[in-house]
Amino acid sequence: MGGIRDAQKQATRERVLAAARELFVDIGYEAATIRMIADRAGVATGSVFTTFPSKIAILRAVMDERLERLFLELDAVVPHLRGSTVVRLCSVMAMHYDFEMRRPRLFTTYLAANFEWSDGEPLITFGRQPRLVGILRDILTAGVTGGDVRSDIDVNVFIDFLLAAYGFNYRLAAQEGLGAGELSDIMDRQIALMFSGIARNAAG
Amino acid sequence: MNPFPAALIATAAAPMTRRGLAKLRTREALLAAGKRLFTERGYEEATVRDIARAAGMSTGAVFANFTDKADLFQQVLSQDAWTLAETMRQVASLRDGCVRETLLTVLAAGYAFHLKQLPLLRAACAEGWRQDAAREVTSRDRMRQIISILEGVLRKAVANGEMRSDIDVDLAVDLIWHAYQSNYRLAIYDGFDLEGLTGRLERQLDLILPSLAHRQAA
């Protein structure tokens, strides 16, 4: 394949993504049209369509690219987390709130798009982000080995429940104008209560 | 903006004038048509014109009764929430079992209700995540009705000694509510049926309820 053409294609892709990210943040996903994205990126509307099959595909790419940065941060930090399993779970989720609450609108837009009708290719729904699920699974496995988590727990049910709370807390943020710190405080208490169901205590 | 069904308003505000009654019937017909089309096509695809036509009315009739399509949609959801809350309250008052069983029965009534109209729920989920201050308030009021039923169940359990008196009821209710709602993803994406949803909820409740109970059940 032609190297120059690939490089051009890549450049177009990056410009479209940058323009889309700005527009989604500024005016929201719904209001942003493909044409506006093309204008801001300085490319033809047709080029956007040859790069991405749909607007939702652009949103998906924007979110993936954003998350890449969060996961790099997590990869660097998680191995060094100290403390009990609860504390480590809380830290990972607090890092998520810190990150996503910089652009809350983008994130809730993404959650809304999860339930959209059109476009056969679904987004990764909240609670199913494989890298986050993997990180949480590792922490829980370490907890079982370390002795503060029971060995007979259903890891999937626990993680799914934890991420449900994580996601729905954003609604709270929207309704009550809460920031990342307050969300993390709420999440800490929720995790503590959920964790009581999988904790290995002296009696058990 | 009134979330209550026309039947209720009619009894409360009787006697109705003939014109008032006609207006209520129009509103009811539009809500019913709206609900049907939103369920069949989703929010975006159901146009005001189609809804009016399905109700056998003019587009103008829609705007005489609702601010816009978003308002009509919200009213459909509010009417549903009211119906469901009424069912749940009845179920809750009939149950005299332990808190776990009561919660499961009450929330299973919710699953049964929404599973019958899953596309409408899906549209409501999408709308729910779209931020709009006014809509957030309406949707919070809607949720409040059902959340307060859960709250009642837990407070009763605290009062009768099944649960400890020092528990954080709000925290527990929030978590149960999150679990209940998030399981709809399983219905929308993975084809979970009533049994699957309540089974999942059961395991979620078992994560949090034992630590709230007075005596740790084995």
Side-chain angles (χ1 to χ4, degrees), chain B residues 3-218:
Chain B
F4 300 109
L8 194 88
I9 303 167
T11 39
M16 294 278 309
T17 62
R18 194 178 300 174
R19 185 183 290 181
L21 214 59
K23 198 171 155 85
L24 267 181
R25 279 205 204 98
T26 306
R27 207 185 129 80
E28 286 291 279
L30 287 169
L31 282 172
K35 180 170 171 174
R36 187 156 56 79
L37 289 193
F38 289 135
T39 307
E40 284 170 10
R41 304 180 188 177
Y43 179 76
E44 295 299 335
E45 299 298 316
T47 66
V48 167
R49 223 166 118 182
D50 292 341
I51 293 169
R53 194 177 302 150
M57 295 181 196
S58 67
T59 310
V62 175
F63 292 109
N65 284 277
F66 305 94
T67 327
D68 51 17
K69 186 168 93 170
D71 181 36
L72 172 59
F73 184 65
Q74 292 299 323
Q75 300 296 323
V76 167
L77 298 185
S78 294
Q79 201 181 37
D80 261 10
W82 193 88
T83 312
L84 175 59
E86 197 46 43
T87 309
M88 285 178 159
R89 262 190 292 271
Q90 277 170 17
V91 170
S93 67
L94 288 176
R95 295 297 301 196
D96 220 15
C98 66
V99 64
R100 182 179 182 273
E101 292 310 311
T102 309
L103 287 173
L104 279 173
T105 320
V106 166
L107 294 173
Y111 286 143
F113 183 87
H114 285 299
L115 279 173
K116 280 186 283 186
Q117 45 188 48
L118 213 47
L120 183 67
L121 181 82
R122 184 173 179 163
C125 289
E127 281 307 289
W129 287 108
R130 287 204 190 99
Q131 304 224 337
D132 171 306
R135 273 188 253 164
E136 273 299 340
V137 171
T138 328
S139 89
R140 177 168 52 181
D141 290 347
R142 244 187 337 256
M143 292 177 189
R144 217 45 253 172
Q145 292 187 76
I146 296 178
I147 289 172
S148 70
I149 297 170
L150 303 180
E151 239 171 62
V153 173
L154 287 198
R155 294 207 188 282
K156 195 173 148 198
V158 169
N160 69 24
E162 189 186 344
M163 287 189 157
R164 295 200 323 268
S165 55
D166 62 344
I167 66 166
D168 186 337
V169 172
D170 290 340
L171 174 67
V173 166
D174 271 353
L175 271 186
I176 295 167
W177 177 243
H178 292 337
Y180 162 73
Q181 280 200 298
S182 71
N183 289 342
Y184 281 113
R185 287 172 305 160
L186 302 172
I188 291 171
Y189 296 110
D190 308 308
F192 271 47
D193 59 5
L194 181 60
E195 203 183 324
L197 291 180
T198 40
R200 172 57 72 102
L201 186 68
E202 213 169 331
R203 301 170 80 175
Q204 291 161 327
L205 290 180
D206 287 342
L207 281 175
I208 59 172
L209 292 183
S211 73
L212 306 174
H214 231 344
R215 276 175 304 174
Q216 289 277 359

Side-chain angles (χ1 to χ4, degrees), chain A residues 8-153:
Chain A
Q8 274 174 347
K9 223 176 155 179
Q10 187 56 30
T12 304
R13 190 186 146 86
E14 271 157 33
R15 272 153 78 181
V16 168
L17 283 181
R21 194 186 319 121
E22 286 167 22
L23 273 171
F24 293 162
V25 170
D26 291 350
I27 63 169
Y29 172 76
E30 277 175 283
T33 63
I34 297 279
R35 213 167 131 186
M36 289 160 84
I37 295 171
D39 282 352
R40 187 173 292 212
V43 304
T45 309
S47 311
V48 177
F49 282 115
T50 52
T51 318
F52 296 99
S54 62
K55 195 166 86 163
I56 215 163
I58 301 178
L59 177 64
R60 192 182 296 130
V62 165
M63 295 307 290
D64 285 350
E65 200 194 48
R66 246 175 76 73
L67 277 179
E68 191 55 40
R69 272 179 290 147
L70 171 62
F71 284 117
L72 284 177
E73 206 177 315
L74 282 164
D75 286 345
V77 171
V78 171
H80 303 290
L81 287 178
R82 299 266 167 269
S84 65
T85 301
V86 177
V87 170
R88 280 190 267 177
L89 292 173
C90 291
S91 304
V92 169
M93 301 324 289
M95 281 176 72
H96 271 74
Y97 283 126
D98 276 344
F99 184 83
E100 297 290 8
M101 287 304 282
R102 289 175 218 158
R103 296 271 181 275
R105 186 169 185 180
L106 196 56
F107 188 72
T108 45
T109 288
Y110 178 71
L111 292 184
N114 271 288
F115 295 97
E116 291 295 349
W117 281 66
S118 48
D119 190 283
E121 233 183 302
L123 295 163
I124 291 176
T125 55
F126 75 83
R128 295 189 182 174
Q129 172 40 247
R131 288 170 78 177
L132 174 54
V133 169
I135 290 170
L136 297 174
R137 189 185 297 277
D138 288 348
I139 293 177
L140 290 169
T141 309
V144 172
T145 316
D148 67 349
V149 177
R150 289 205 325 263
S151 55
D152 63 341
I153 64 161

